[in-house]
Amino acid sequence: MLDDFMIRAALGAVGTATAAGLLGCFVVWRRMAYFGDATAHAAVLGVAMSLAFGTGVIWGVILVSVLVAVLIHTLSADAAPMETLLGVVSHGALAIGLVAVSLVPGQRVDLDAYLFGEVLTVTRTDLAVIWLGALAVALVIWRHWQALLTATLSPDLAYAAGVDPRREQLILTLLLALVVAVAIKVVGALLITALLIIPAATARSLTRTPEAMAVVAILIGTLCALGGLRAAIIFNTPVGPSIVCVATLLFTLATISRKLFSSGS
């Protein structure tokens, strides 16, 4: 069954959406969009390193994403303006990565595949990495759910409950790096943050509890993945951007519906 490239593409997109939808709730709650951008843009540097050393791209992306995630976590403890530092890390890493890819000898690289995703070329190995990554994200968040929620709600409350908010922040940052690594083949480095934020933001407008928001975010992300894949086939458009377009449409409809319902009541 997995010999059919469309089935592999659908499974890869759904696996990525599952991990992104679940982690995206915390990205929205903690306003970590800049963290996501910085980590995702650094993934391009990981691609260059993988090509230079002849290793699998996914491992280079994971290594660089984790290193940047730890760097960001360390910088966040400083008193310097974080938005400025994240902007430097984000765009600096992207520029260095793009230049590094062009300098790798003997390699002709389709950068669009890494910037905007190429889910139609997902292999069985890619599927295994994507779903193992999604499972790892789900297990870690399930195990740390209460601690993560408490740290997100109030650092002072977390300390009172015996939870170290800095440790929970580091966990989220490392999970973010993992999601970036598994999602780069599906939506690309420039669109990963959108897949993290938009389904979660849509789910927030439709739910009342954190648990419900997490479940609905996963469902919305899955719908966006399959809907974007279908739209790309029908209209002959890039899959990654098509997935984000569907997500944006659903967010817009949910926002309008909520406002109409609120005004009507």
Side-chain angles (χ1 to χ4, degrees):
M1 182 180 68
L2 294 181
D3 287 336
D4 189 331
F5 78 97
M6 284 303 299
I7 294 177
R8 293 199 301 270
L11 289 175
V14 170
T16 300
T18 299
L22 185 56
L23 183 60
C25 293
F26 289 96
V27 172
V28 169
W29 290 331
R30 300 178 71 103
R31 300 178 181 178
M32 293 175 64
Y34 274 121
F35 284 79
D37 278 336
T39 307
H41 291 175
V44 179
L45 181 57
V47 173
M49 288 183 57
S50 299
L51 296 175
F53 292 100
T55 60
V57 169
I58 188 67
W59 304 116
V61 172
I62 289 177
L63 175 61
V64 173
S65 297
V66 168
L67 290 177
V68 170
V70 173
L71 173 64
I72 293 171
H73 176 75
T74 303
L75 292 176
S76 67
D78 199 350
M82 274 307 298
E83 288 189 4
T84 301
L85 290 173
L86 287 173
V88 172
V89 173
S90 175
H91 300 294
L94 177 60
I96 294 171
L98 292 174
V99 171
V101 168
S102 68
L103 293 177
V104 175
Q107 295 282 353
R108 299 187 62 182
V109 183
D110 179 14
L111 281 176
D112 286 349
Y114 297 108
L115 295 177
F116 303 106
E118 192 54 70
V119 69
L120 296 179
T121 62
V122 165
T123 64
R124 293 187 179 189
T125 301
D126 293 330
L127 275 183
V129 172
I130 289 171
W131 278 99
L132 285 174
L135 180 61
V137 170
L139 288 176
V140 172
I141 290 182
W142 173 75
R143 184 177 179 84
H144 291 264
W145 178 261
Q146 195 58 52
L148 289 170
L149 279 181
T150 304
T152 300
L153 178 64
S154 169
D156 292 334
L157 182 61
Y159 280 121
V163 174
D164 183 357
R166 289 282 299 168
R167 183 193 64 192
E168 303 306 318
Q169 173 73 25
L170 178 59
I171 290 173
L172 285 178
T173 306
L174 293 176
L175 289 180
L176 189 59
L178 179 59
V179 169
V180 165
V182 301
I184 192 170
K185 194 71 177 282
V186 177
V187 292
L190 297 184
L191 298 173
I192 292 172
T193 307
L195 193 60
L196 282 163
I197 294 174
I198 300 177
T202 306
R204 183 168 62 175
S205 68
L206 301 174
T207 56
R208 295 181 179 274
T209 66
E211 292 79 9
M213 178 176 164
V215 172
V216 173
I218 292 173
L219 294 177
I220 291 175
T222 299
L223 180 61
C224 294
L226 296 178
L229 182 59
R230 180 61 176 170
I233 294 171
I234 294 175
F235 300 108
N236 193 28
T237 55
V239 178
S242 298
I243 291 174
V244 176
C245 285
V246 172
T248 304
L249 176 60
L250 291 180
F251 174 79
T252 303
L253 292 175
T255 302
I256 293 174
S257 299
R258 184 183 61 182
K259 290 186 178 296
L260 290 176
F261 180 79
S262 298
S263 61
S265 59

